[in-house]
Amino acid sequence: IRRYSNLVKLFIVLIVLLFLVGCSVSLNKKRGFLGGRGLADLNRFSDEIDAFIQKDIVSRYPSGMTIFVGSSSINMWHTLEKDMSPHPVLNRGFGGSTIPEVNHYFNQLVEKHKPAQVFLYCGENDLAMKHSVKQTIDAFAHFLSLCEEYVPDAKIAYISLKPSPERWHLWKKFKEVNTAIENLALSSDKLHYIDISSVMLDVNGLPESSLFIEDQLHLNEQGYEKWTQVIKPVLDELRR
């Protein structure tokens, strides 16, 4: 009886150990997505990328289009084609992506279409997930190197990180990234910096809440109208 009792105790210990290991793995994954300094799982939006690939199989796109790529602010821009008319544009925003994730899927999202212009909006989620300002800027530098390697003739436009009520506590870091990329654009003929913050702040220098949906993070129709006022003239100029 004592022998069986010891076996039961050993079995219970093994179950507890397996439970603790599972919790540790789960926590590490959570840190990778939300709180740690490691990068997010680069394949977490693979279903959305697969959907793009399927669209590419059945659709024909003209060469020399303008690609808009990046995070949910691009993905949720449902009036993008109309707002940028008559220019041919392709929306390739996905999920709550980070710049490393855009880089990871660069060939599927950008390179395969051989665009004449590439507009990027990304970096918010990087900083919200505790990536440092330097990590975010380095990731953008990698994005530029991919453009140079795979679409060397394309003009690149970076849409500045936006001020929002939900992420106002990160605005200082957002501005550091914006300033670094703006300075980089000043010394480049191929990189263009688009500041959208000026049309999104009220008279007190705070984010205009009326430009956002209920989550106070993503833009509503009025918010995208503001973006169009600033971004469309840049696209007009680049496509002359």
Side-chain angles (χ1 to χ4, degrees):
I1 295 174
R2 183 179 300 173
R3 183 178 61 186
Y4 286 112
S5 176
N6 289 337
L7 287 174
V8 169
K9 289 179 180 179
L10 179 60
F11 179 77
I12 292 173
V13 169
L14 289 173
I15 292 296
V16 170
L17 286 174
L18 289 171
F19 175 79
L20 291 175
V21 169
C23 289
S24 176
V25 171
S26 177
L27 181 59
N28 285 333
K29 286 182 178 180
K30 185 176 182 181
R31 283 174 178 166
F33 278 86
L34 302 175
R37 289 192 174 275
L39 299 179
D41 175 7
L42 295 178
N43 292 308
R44 60 185 176 142
F45 297 119
S46 60
D47 288 347
E48 292 185 47
I49 304 303
D50 289 342
F52 286 144
I53 292 173
Q54 292 305 311
K55 286 182 180 179
D56 293 343
I57 291 174
V58 300
S59 302
R60 292 184 179 275
Y61 303 110
S63 60
M65 296 185 72
T66 300
I67 299 284
F68 278 73
V69 67
S71 58
S72 54
S73 290
I74 297 298
N75 181 34
M76 296 172 67
W77 195 345
H78 303 304
T79 59
L80 178 64
E81 291 187 14
K82 176 178 71 69
D83 293 340
M84 297 297 122
S85 179
H87 307 301
V89 300
L90 189 61
N91 189 324
R92 284 297 179 260
F94 63 101
S97 59
T98 62
I99 301 177
E101 289 169 310
V102 172
N103 293 340
H104 181 61
Y105 290 113
F106 185 89
N107 297 99
Q108 294 97 319
L109 296 171
V110 179
E111 187 269 338
K112 70 184 296 183
H113 298 292
K114 301 298 181 185
Q117 298 85 27
V118 181
F119 281 63
L120 173 69
Y121 183 85
C122 209
E124 266 198 68
N125 296 314
D126 306 57
L127 295 168
M129 294 166 64
K130 307 300 184 184
H131 299 178
S132 68
V133 169
K134 183 180 184 303
Q135 284 177 313
T136 305
I137 295 171
D138 287 347
F140 177 72
H142 185 206
F143 175 82
L144 290 181
S145 71
L146 291 172
C147 290
E148 183 61 32
E149 179 177 359
Y150 293 106
V151 288
D153 296 326
K155 297 287 186 179
I156 314 302
Y158 183 78
I159 303 168
S160 70
L161 299 183
K162 70 180 187 294
S164 67
E166 175 63 21
R167 289 181 173 169
W168 187 240
H169 63 289
L170 293 171
W171 182 234
K172 180 179 178 182
K173 291 184 178 181
F174 285 9
K175 287 197 297 183
E176 289 179 31
V177 170
N178 287 343
T179 299
I181 296 177
E182 181 180 19
N183 289 336
L184 187 61
L186 291 175
S187 60
S188 172
D189 293 332
K190 296 183 63 175
L191 175 62
H192 301 264
Y193 175 81
I194 304 175
D195 177 24
I196 48 82
S197 63
S198 59
V199 297
M200 301 190 69
L201 298 173
D202 63 21
V203 294
N204 297 314
L206 298 174
E208 180 55 67
S209 61
S210 64
L211 301 178
F212 298 87
I213 61 176
E214 289 184 4
D215 64 10
Q216 290 294 284
L217 174 61
H218 297 99
L219 299 173
N220 58 23
E221 183 178 349
Q222 291 72 36
Y224 283 117
E225 287 176 358
K226 291 286 188 181
W227 274 33
T228 300
Q229 293 171 14
V230 179
I231 295 172
K232 177 70 183 318
V234 176
L235 181 57
D236 289 340
E237 182 65 27
L238 292 180
R239 291 196 67 88
R240 283 184 180 176

